[in-house]
Structures are given as C-alpha cells and as structure tokens.
Amino acid sequence: MSNIAEYVFPPPAVTSLPVAGSTARFPVRRIYCVGRNYLDHIRELGNNEKEPPLFFTKPRDAIVQDGATIPYASVTENFHFELELAVALQSGAYNIAEEAALTHVFGYAIALDMTRRDLQKQLSAKSAPWDVAKGFDHACPCGTIHPVSQVGHLNAGNIRMQVNGEVRQDSDLRAMIWNVPQIIAHLSALFELQAGDIILTGTPAGVGPVVPGDTMRGEIAGLGALTIHVGPRCV
Ligand code: MN
C-alpha cells in the first residue's frame, strides 16, 4: 500500500512566513484585508468616513518574503504601496466577541497591501469587485511574524513607510478607526476564522506610486522592518 496521495499534478506548496525566535514557520491559510481604516487615508481618497469596516481578500500565494524583489505589476500605470499592520491568528471561530478576540492572535507582522490604484478606482466607480486591483500575484509582501509572547499586543506605535529613504507614510496604530479586537469581531461574523489566517488592518495616509528600481521599507514600532524592491514590469 502506498501512502503517496494521487494528484493529477503536484499540489501547490504551503505558503509560510518566518517566526521571530523560532525555526518553525507560520503556515498561511487565508489573507483578509480591511479597507479604509485610517481617517486621513479615507479623506485622501475621498471616501465616506462613517462606513462599517470594509473587507476584501488576497490569495495566500500573493505573499512575498522580506527582502524580495517584486515585479512592477502588469496592467497598471499607478502601482501603489499601502503599509499595514498584519495580525496572524493561531485559532479562530465564528462570531468572536471583542473581549475574546486577542486570545486568537498568535502575533503581528509588517505587510504591504500592493494595489493597482488605477484599476481600483475604475472598479470602485462601477461598484465592481476589487480582486484584480488587490489580489494579483506578489500583492502581499509580509515580514517576520513576531509572537505575542515576545512583543505583546500592538494597539499603539509608529507606522512609517519609506521609499528610497524618503518618508511617505508616518502615522500611529492608534489612528485606526477599527482596532484589532473590533476587526476580528466583525470579520468573524462573515467568515469562520481559523489558525493561519492573516488580517491586514488598513493603511494610513500617504499612499503613493512606486516605479521599477524603487526600494520600499516599512517599519512598525516593535516589529522591525520589511524591505521590498520593485523590479521591472513582469510582462
Ligand atoms: Mn489596504
């Protein structure tokens, strides 16, 4: 008897992220994202300030490791960075109460919600889904996950983005409209959250374009830095 599963071709690899202080890696299940979670960013894009949290997803194989070079995305002339705090879950459920939400958090990381801004604007104008603007290949660079046991829970602290050494985003996690427990509570009403899920919590003001040759560096107090290079157009 063979215990080798039979597939018509090899199944995709597990997507994983490094964990600070451990040789074991964090296996990624799903990537959820919150849109419009900092007031100054809502205002810079001209959106409504009084909406409930807006969620979208990225495919897990859009993850890119720290230090990598990503291609300049195809079919865009306005390829944007959005620096975000990522929350990594060690467990989950439906309908998690705010008061219990943090018990499901394994750790935190720095992530980039890379965006085809021109397509996102066109899609939003048509009330169409954002997938091709947000969920494309290489659209989710994510750094090392720092366990709660080492860094505690992050509800305040500087979040700062540099492109080629120039500061482009400079805010504080306290400026989030929906905090991490509230995000988990809302999201778990829509999806059964599970271990391995990652939640990007939205970006502050200052989003903008990058071009081939740029180096992006995101920093969040307590989490170190995430560095990603922009390479030539992929097609
Ligand atoms: Mn975002």
Side-chain angles (χ1 to χ4, degrees):
M1 244 176 50
S2 168
N3 61 2
I4 298 171
E6 291 181 24
Y7 300 103
V8 296
F9 52 82
V14 172
T15 299
S16 66
L17 290 164
V19 174
S22 174
T23 54
R25 295 178 66 87
F26 181 92
V28 179
R29 175 180 176 262
R30 290 185 181 172
I31 306 168
Y32 296 104
C33 304
V34 184
R36 303 172 184 168
N37 199 27
Y38 288 77
L39 200 53
D40 51 359
H41 175 61
I42 291 174
R43 287 174 177 164
E44 79 178 341
L45 294 186
N47 290 311
N48 188 332
E49 299 175 11
K50 300 218 168 84
E51 296 282 328
L54 179 161
F55 295 110
F56 59 95
T57 63
K58 293 176 186 265
R60 70 166 157 235
D61 63 0
I63 293 265
V64 175
Q65 307 289 322
D66 186 16
T69 298
I70 59 170
Y72 188 98
S74 66
V75 198
T76 184
E77 301 304 324
N78 202 13
F79 186 34
H80 272 211
F81 58 81
E82 297 186 359
L83 177 61
E84 312 204 356
L85 173 70
V87 181
L89 301 188
Q90 61 187 355
S91 57
Y94 270 120
N95 293 323
I96 298 168
E98 271 182 47
E99 299 71 32
L102 293 180
T103 66
H104 295 282
V105 177
F106 174 80
Y108 297 90
I110 303 169
L112 291 171
D113 169 14
M114 297 304 297
T115 301
R116 288 167 166 145
R117 189 73 67 204
D118 42 3
L119 294 193
Q120 187 198 19
K121 286 181 177 167
Q122 293 166 22
L123 294 164
S124 292
K126 294 189 288 189
S127 299
W130 283 0
D131 299 57
V132 302
K134 292 286 198 179
F136 51 93
D137 298 334
H138 315 290
C140 194
C142 190
T144 296
I145 296 177
H146 295 261
V148 170
S149 58
Q150 293 178 20
V151 298
H153 288 288
L154 275 65
N155 52 23
N158 185 233
I159 175 168
R160 193 170 80 140
M161 179 74 185
Q162 297 175 69
V163 178
N164 304 329
E166 182 184 329
V167 176
R168 305 289 293 276
Q169 295 183 279
D170 191 359
S171 186
D172 193 288
L173 298 178
R174 272 176 291 220
M176 286 197 283
I177 296 169
W178 303 97
N179 65 27
V180 172
Q182 291 169 330
I183 290 168
I184 289 173
H186 275 97
L187 186 59
S188 67
L190 296 162
F191 301 95
E192 182 181 11
L193 300 181
Q194 293 190 27
D197 289 346
I198 286 180
I199 308 167
L200 273 60
T201 56
T203 198
V207 300
V210 288
V211 296
D214 282 350
T215 294
M216 303 182 284
R217 179 182 166 88
E219 300 169 347
I220 294 177
L223 302 182
L226 168 69
T227 302
I228 297 290
H229 309 282
V230 183
R233 279 179 178 273
C234 63
V235 284

